[in-house]
Amino acid sequence: AWDLHFNYGNLLGRVGDIDAAILSLQKAMQLNPSAASVYVSLSYLLARQQKMPQAESFARIAANLAPDSPEALNQLGVVL
């Protein structure tokens, strides 16, 4: 079920409903706290809202969960 919230959150982000996207991704994070991709998406959306400390925090979590993930490492580089 976490993946439904993850996919829906990403869809909402693409159409510009950032607040709803973040809520959906937070639900995905609650259901699967070890999914690095959720943290990457949250970081990306928070960065779009200029919430850089929060974006960096989520990017660091993603990079720690998946240190070999290009997406996680790229997102961390973007927000630093």
Side-chain angles (χ1 to χ4, degrees), residues 29-71:
M29 180 181 64
Q30 290 171 352
L31 294 171
N32 188 355
S34 63
S37 56
V38 175
Y39 296 92
V40 171
S41 292
L42 280 165
S43 175
Y44 172 76
L45 292 173
L46 289 164
R48 283 183 57 189
Q49 291 186 322
Q50 301 300 312
K51 296 178 180 176
M52 300 314 283
Q54 292 169 295
E56 180 183 340
S57 177
F58 282 117
R60 287 186 183 279
I61 293 168
N64 285 331
L65 287 171
D68 295 327
S69 165
E71 293 82 9

Side-chain angles (χ1 to χ4, degrees), residues 1-14 17-33 35 37-42 45:
W2 76 271
D3 55 332
L4 296 175
H5 292 283
F6 174 70
N7 290 331
Y8 187 55
N10 284 326
L11 175 65
L12 289 169
R14 284 191 199 102
D17 194 348
I18 305 299
D19 292 331
I22 289 171
L23 289 174
S24 188
L25 289 166
Q26 287 173 331
K27 181 65 175 177
M29 180 181 64
Q30 290 171 352
L31 294 171
N32 188 355
S37 56
V38 175
Y39 296 92
V40 171
S41 292
L42 280 165
L45 292 173

